[in-house]
Amino acid sequence: MTSPLYFLALESSCDETAAAVFTNTGELLSNVVASQTELHARFGGVVPEIASRAHLRNLLPVIDEALRKANLALDQIGCIAVHNTPGLVGALLMGVSAAKMLALSLNIPLIAVNHVVGHIYACQMNDPRPMYPCIGFVVSGGHTALFHCADPLTTRFLGGTRDDAAGEVFDKVAAILGLGFPGGPNLEREARTGNPKAYHFPRTFLKEDKLEFSFSGIKTAVLYTAQGQDAKTSEKIAPGPTRANIAASFQQAVIEVLVGKAIQAAQQNGLTRLAVGGGVTANTPFRELLERECHAKRIELFIPPKELCTDNAGMAALAIEKYKRGEFANMSLDAEANFL
Ligand code: KG4
Ligand code: ZN
């Protein structure tokens, strides 16, 4: 039996410094994430320079831990993978520079992975069912985007948000409601005791055929509901049933739009498989609604376990597919903020 090829992958696109080790057969041996949440919390959002500096501090310890957990030494690694797009350029550059240095010094191949396509690929890790062709849906802090995915590396953009991404609007609404950073998980927690039918917030484009999203209207609607028409008061809404009801009604409106559009995308493209990834996919009511609606519409649903939804380096296992095709990067590899 030939011994497996071991990949070491790095992620540094935003505010998580992450390293993972996996084999060429897709077995994930370690997946270590150092979150910077506490560093950014007092600013209410990710501060790019702070993120880059934290990556610089955290990358080598995170790599060490990923190797230790995989029970491997650095010289047993046969390929380096790194997310080089999209994200904060200064943050991405930290991972890209470390990856180049590792590939060069170990004299092994380097593979560049698109972080967004990686979010889709993560849906079939640990899942034996064939996933392609499918609709890939990335719902994260930076993207709300639908793709036609013929295979892991052949993706065609179908449509996305015109303004905020879904995760971004969770974060902004959490800030309006005084729920702090990170917004998404805090808002989900607040919504648990609220009534999702208490307020009717807009479901923009839901009844239209186009595969587009817009979340700026709902953000304004929540602002007016929480702080009065014209948002004249700068005081945060007090904790209590009203705040929980606003949170629950907001979450319900957003997840209905997300699920509705994903199903439309599958139906319009004659596909019966849907793969949903990205940080917002960690939201339990969203997962439950996806499961219910996909079941009703006979669409096969692929969602990663929660730890593979938010940013991590394990999702760079897409590099295995690139390795098979000989798609290697060289030392001129650069970081790109946008890929669409
Ligand atoms: O994929 P991700 O970790 O980073 C990006 O690539 O953007 O997604 C982060 C986003 C944040 O906006 C965060 O608030 C949101 O995902 N998020 C959630 C939940 N967990 C993370 N949104 C709603 N509910 C959650 N439980
Ligand atoms: Zn992401």
Side-chain angles (χ1 to χ4, degrees):
M1 205 174 77
T2 52
S3 71
L5 178 79
Y6 296 110
F7 288 72
L8 171 64
L10 306 181
E11 146 66 26
S12 69
S13 67
C14 190
D15 61 340
E16 326 279 358
T17 316
V21 176
F22 44 84
T23 66
N24 57 331
T25 54
E27 193 187 348
L28 193 55
L29 302 179
S30 63
N31 198 10
V32 177
V33 180
S35 173
Q36 305 173 8
T37 302
E38 279 173 29
L39 290 177
H40 301 285
R42 71 190 172 101
F43 301 101
V46 177
V47 182
E49 186 178 333
I50 292 178
S52 300
R53 289 177 189 276
H55 288 313
L56 194 57
R57 274 196 309 278
N58 293 341
L59 260 167
L60 294 182
V62 162
I63 291 169
D64 277 346
E65 199 183 332
L67 289 168
R68 194 180 53 74
K69 286 193 165 156
N71 212 6
L72 289 173
L74 191 54
D75 62 7
Q76 290 175 276
I77 298 296
C79 183
I80 304 290
V82 64
H83 291 145
N84 74 316
T85 189
L88 301 168
V89 169
L92 285 165
L93 279 173
M94 293 297 150
V96 169
S97 305
K100 284 187 190 179
M101 176 274 290
L102 285 166
L104 188 66
S105 57
L106 296 170
N107 195 23
I108 56 176
L110 173 66
I111 294 183
V113 175
N114 182 312
H115 175 106
V116 163
V117 185
H119 271 308
I120 300 170
Y121 192 77
C123 298
Q124 49 110 69
M125 292 170 71
N126 305 330
D127 193 331
R129 297 172 296 164
M131 190 175 93
Y132 298 93
C134 66
I135 292 292
F137 189 23
V138 179
V139 196
S140 70
H143 294 85
T144 306
L146 288 157
F147 298 87
H148 181 289
C149 305
D151 62 54
L153 293 170
T154 313
T155 54
R156 180 165 50 85
F157 178 67
L158 297 172
T161 181
R162 285 194 184 178
D163 38 55
D164 291 0
E168 192 181 354
V169 82
F170 264 92
D171 293 338
K172 287 180 177 165
V173 163
I176 291 170
L177 298 180
L179 297 171
F181 179 85
N186 289 349
L187 195 132
E188 180 184 345
R189 203 170 308 115
E190 178 74 9
R192 270 183 214 144
T193 56
N195 173 4
K197 293 188 176 150
Y199 298 91
H200 188 82
F201 290 125
R203 279 126 170 101
T204 309
F205 301 152
L206 183 56
K207 296 230 155 61
E208 296 173 41
D209 279 347
K210 59 184 166 198
L211 299 177
E212 282 187 288
F213 304 84
S214 167
F215 295 110
S216 59
I218 191 168
K219 194 175 57 185
T220 312
V222 170
L223 182 70
Y224 288 169
T225 308
Q227 297 186 5
Q229 196 67 28
D230 301 333
K232 283 209 179 96
T233 164
S234 58
E235 275 178 31
K236 293 273 184 273
I237 183 169
T242 304
R243 188 171 79 170
N245 285 343
I246 297 175
S249 303
F250 158 79
Q251 179 174 265
Q252 185 63 25
V254 172
I255 67 176
E256 277 181 23
V257 171
L258 294 172
V259 174
K261 285 287 160 195
I263 304 252
Q264 266 183 31
Q267 291 173 336
Q268 284 178 20
N269 285 275
L271 291 172
T272 54
R273 295 183 185 133
L274 171 65
V276 192
V280 179
T281 318
N283 182 285
T284 302
F286 179 40
R287 298 170 82 87
E288 289 171 352
L289 189 60
L290 274 168
E291 271 158 21
R292 270 203 311 280
E293 286 299 305
C294 284
H295 183 73
K297 304 283 175 354
R298 296 181 188 283
I299 290 170
E300 212 181 341
L301 176 66
F302 295 77
I303 338 182
K306 288 189 181 181
E307 67 278 9
L308 283 175
C309 291
T310 46
D311 288 349
N312 66 89
M315 62 199 231
L318 180 59
I320 299 166
E321 307 291 338
K322 287 194 147 186
Y323 190 95
K324 284 185 208 154
R325 295 195 195 179
E327 290 184 22
F328 300 113
N330 59 31
M331 286 301 132
S332 65
L333 180 67
D334 208 348
E336 298 278 345
N338 302 309
F339 80 103
L340 286 172

